[in-house]
Amino acid sequence: MPLRIPGNGANPITRIRPADWLAAALALIVIPQLVQAKKNSKEDMHIAVIRALGSEIAVAKVPLPRGKKGIFIKPNGEVNQAEAESELKTNGPAIRPGMPVEITKITFKGDKIVFEINGGGKSSKKWYQHIEIGVGGTTQPISQQPPVLTYGSWITVTVKGKASEVTADEVKKLLGSVLDFERRSPTVLYSPTVPPQFKEAIKKHEVMVGMDRDTVLSSKGAPDRKVREVREGVEQEDWIYGLPPHSLFVTFDGDAVVAVKQY
């Protein structure tokens, strides 16, 4: 029988069936579970992407700029060239094509996923380099050392729909326009011919005498600049990494490294 709840005289008697009581009770139990399940599903997708791509090593296919923005990838996988060229023109490249990179952080923002590359493009300027002292209205920094240039960048991927609804494989495919994951391990890439000692050096991003150009590219990436000189009647080429006072000079005689000097 339906349950009867007495009225207050002005309102009619309300009848509540047992089935209605049961439905209400189930709703109180099921709805929170559905909400939690949806939340867990979203978190699971985030975790799957982080597990698949966090700390992943790849090789840059395009130049990545310094600065706080980096480059942007559209939902169809294309790079926003206008933004990229603007950033490169303003801040210069932090990472050149052919250089090994690491995804150091992943952040989800609505329909965007932001990938921090090699620690990001933030300035590494020390706190004391912001302090200036002076007399008579003229000031100068207490530190005369130039700020250290960064070698990190950012990649922002915009997805169709919500970032929490895409799979790790789909995200990896979008990143494929700028990062080569098939070459994520240079050791595997050159395993048929590279000696064991060179493989260890590649893992540490070091250069050894006897390496060829491809092996050096696999270990250190493209140099910041190249210099050709004739020394004792032999033309040699220096690959220079970094800026003074911390520069690495790799000297080639033909296709082989004959000298490695760190300054």
Side-chain angles (χ1 to χ4, degrees):
M1 291 181 61
L3 300 177
R4 295 175 180 270
I5 299 177
N8 58 9
N11 298 323
I13 295 177
T14 302
R15 297 184 179 184
I16 302 179
R17 299 177 180 276
D20 296 332
W21 282 103
L22 180 60
L26 288 174
L28 292 174
I29 297 173
V30 174
I31 291 177
Q33 291 181 344
L34 291 174
V35 172
Q36 184 63 40
K38 185 176 181 180
K39 180 179 179 182
N40 291 341
S41 176
K42 179 179 178 180
E43 291 176 350
D44 289 344
M45 296 296 282
H46 286 184
I47 292 172
V49 171
I50 292 172
R51 284 179 176 174
L53 296 171
S55 300
E56 183 76 347
I57 302 297
V59 175
K61 297 168 69 174
V62 300
L64 303 179
R66 293 188 176 93
K68 298 180 180 180
K69 294 183 178 180
I71 64 174
F72 296 84
I73 299 178
K74 302 175 184 179
N76 61 0
E78 294 181 358
V79 176
N80 187 324
Q81 292 294 345
E83 287 278 358
E85 291 173 6
S86 175
E87 284 295 297
L88 287 168
K89 184 177 180 180
T90 302
N91 301 311
I95 299 167
R96 300 180 184 276
M99 291 183 66
V101 300
E102 180 182 6
I103 296 175
T104 48
K105 185 178 179 180
I106 302 174
T107 306
F108 298 85
K109 296 181 178 181
D111 64 345
K112 294 178 174 58
I113 306 177
V114 182
F115 295 87
E116 180 188 85
I117 306 298
N118 289 358
K122 297 179 181 179
S123 172
S124 56
K125 194 173 184 180
K126 304 298 184 182
W127 64 269
Y128 53 79
Q129 291 178 295
H130 294 277
I131 300 176
E132 296 186 0
I133 58 175
V135 178
T138 302
T139 65
Q140 65 178 13
I142 63 172
S143 173
Q144 301 300 318
Q145 294 180 352
V148 178
L149 293 177
T150 59
Y151 291 91
S153 189
W154 309 85
I155 301 174
T156 300
V157 177
T158 301
V159 302
K160 295 178 181 179
K162 297 180 180 179
S164 60
E165 297 174 350
V166 294
T167 66
D169 288 340
E170 290 171 336
V171 176
K172 202 168 189 177
K173 185 176 180 180
L174 290 172
L175 287 171
S177 59
V178 296
L179 299 179
D180 185 354
F181 291 101
E182 296 303 319
R183 293 178 56 190
R184 63 185 180 276
S185 174
T187 301
V188 173
L189 177 65
Y190 293 102
S191 59
T193 57
V194 174
Q197 65 270 27
F198 289 173
K199 294 179 182 179
E200 290 302 311
I202 291 172
K203 291 179 182 178
K204 300 176 183 178
H205 303 300
E206 297 175 348
V207 180
M208 298 177 63
V209 171
M211 286 182 168
D212 60 20
R213 294 170 186 263
D214 286 339
T215 308
V216 175
L217 284 172
S218 181
S219 178
K220 296 293 291 185
D224 294 301
R225 55 197 182 281
K226 300 179 182 180
V227 177
R228 286 177 177 268
E229 289 185 1
V230 176
R231 298 161 183 155
E232 298 180 356
V234 178
E235 185 180 70
Q236 296 182 334
E237 183 174 86
D238 290 329
W239 285 13
I240 306 171
Y241 294 87
L243 298 172
H246 304 294
S247 299
L248 175 69
F249 283 71
V250 180
T251 302
F252 287 91
D253 188 337
D255 191 44
V257 177
V258 293
V260 180
K261 296 181 180 179
Q262 177 74 62
Y263 295 96

